Amino acid sequence: MAPPIHPLGKEKREMIRFLSEDIVANAERCRLTAVSEWVASKSALQQSLLQIIEGDALFDIAASSCRGEVDAYNHAAATTCYLSSHPSDSESNSTTADAIGYTEFWEVGASDMDGMYTLAWDFYATSNFTTTPPLNVCSNDCYVSPGGVPGCISGASWITEIGQLSQRHVCENEWFGIDNAWNNLRVCAATALVGKQEGTNVTRGMEMMAAFQDQQLTTADCAEEACEEFLITDANKMGNKNSSSSNQPMCWIWIGLLHGALVWRNGAVL
């Protein structure tokens, strides 16, 4: 796949790099605080996932093979955590449901703020990567489309806030980033485990890997299209209304963050 065209000039890209470096520590602190509080709760889910992390040989194989993907997931989770705790002025026009964060939306506790616990969740949900769970064709539909139609397959029947968020909330808080990182992680794990699960042949493992790869591409493309369209439209509206200079850079920051996530996904270099 060809790398995307840069929507920003060099000066704006450097500004985004600077701002990103400046908030990394606070973003990671936000993530770790959420995870620590969830772990301290010792919920049934947390205890089940911890058992997988501490005592599953297949989990060790996947975690070792996918260290980079785990780290990338943690970075994406930290970014979403930070952005959610620092809403932009423009979010004042969002829906009531936009008050919730990524963790609250998916209703699985802060396990989704940690790469290792998220990997353990995949082991839990797929019986050690031996069965393929229902997979979303477009996670963005879970967030903004009434009833999650048509692309939200997993969770459409039980997520309380299904389809009630604004596109602004999803894009500005980089929910697409953590979704993409999760799909990259599960593709890596499925690949690492092909032929290693007892009672599962190589063909079945390859089928699972292919299913996760399909989800990886369709959900990423869906989010890219939705957020790119929203951000460009929003930028045009701001320009037409002669918005104040204090708001204009924020719009460029969101476009740059989207571009950064897409560049990382496609393997391009700024």
Side-chain angles (χ1 to χ4, degrees):
M1 182 180 295
I5 298 173
H6 294 302
L8 303 178
K10 181 178 179 181
E11 290 184 2
K12 289 190 175 71
R13 294 204 305 274
E14 291 302 321
M15 176 189 71
I16 290 163
R17 277 202 184 96
F18 173 77
L19 291 173
S20 296
E21 292 172 1
D22 189 49
I23 68 173
V24 162
N26 286 333
E28 180 64 2
R29 188 176 300 112
C30 178
R31 183 186 77 83
L32 291 176
T33 298
V35 175
S36 295
E37 291 176 353
W38 177 72
V39 169
S41 72
K42 296 186 182 299
S43 67
L45 176 61
Q46 186 272 328
Q47 292 294 294
S48 295
L49 299 185
L50 183 61
Q51 287 181 358
I52 293 172
I53 292 173
E54 294 182 340
D56 192 310
L58 289 176
F59 180 88
D60 290 341
I61 293 173
S64 177
S65 299
C66 304
R67 187 67 257 176
E69 284 75 10
V70 169
D71 290 342
Y73 183 93
N74 287 340
H75 176 75
T79 300
T80 296
C81 185
Y82 179 87
L83 291 174
S84 296
S85 63
H86 294 76
S88 66
D89 293 339
S90 57
E91 287 217 63
S92 61
N93 296 321
S94 299
T95 69
T96 302
D98 285 348
I100 70 170
Y102 188 88
T103 291
E104 290 78 17
F105 180 87
W106 287 108
E107 302 177 16
V108 294
S111 62
D112 57 17
M113 285 288 111
D114 183 81
M116 294 291 276
Y117 272 107
T118 295
L119 180 57
W121 165 260
D122 275 331
F123 272 78
Y124 178 82
T126 64
S127 300
N128 282 12
F129 283 82
T130 59
T131 61
T132 306
L135 300 177
N136 292 323
V137 177
C138 175
S139 294
N140 192 69
D141 285 346
C142 298
Y143 308 138
V144 305
S145 179
V149 178
C152 184
I153 310 302
S154 174
S157 62
W158 52 266
I159 295 175
T160 304
E161 305 293 345
I162 189 78
Q164 297 183 40
L165 304 182
S166 70
Q167 193 67 66
R168 176 184 297 280
H169 184 71
V170 174
C171 296
E172 289 194 351
N173 290 300
E174 287 205 60
W175 286 24
F176 58 86
I178 194 169
D179 285 342
N180 288 347
W182 178 33
N183 287 324
N184 292 341
L185 175 57
R186 67 189 343 188
V187 166
C188 177
T191 303
L193 294 174
V194 169
K196 294 183 173 63
Q197 303 98 320
E198 183 177 352
T200 302
N201 59 33
V202 173
T203 300
R204 177 58 185 145
M206 294 292 289
E207 290 173 350
M208 285 194 66
M209 182 181 69
F212 286 132
Q213 287 174 330
D214 285 344
Q215 183 192 40
Q216 177 189 40
L217 294 175
T218 59
T219 56
D221 287 343
C222 173
E224 174 183 343
E225 181 179 353
C227 283
E228 195 167 51
E229 180 180 352
F230 160 73
L231 290 168
I232 291 173
T233 301
D234 200 50
N236 290 336
K237 287 180 180 178
M238 290 173 67
N240 293 336
K241 293 180 180 179
N242 295 316
S243 299
S244 66
S245 59
S246 62
N247 284 331
Q248 289 172 353
M250 184 59 69
C251 177
W252 282 112
I253 289 172
W254 301 135
I255 295 177
L257 289 171
L258 170 64
H259 172 67
L262 299 180
V263 165
W264 173 79
R265 194 198 81 184
N266 292 323
V269 178
L270 279 173

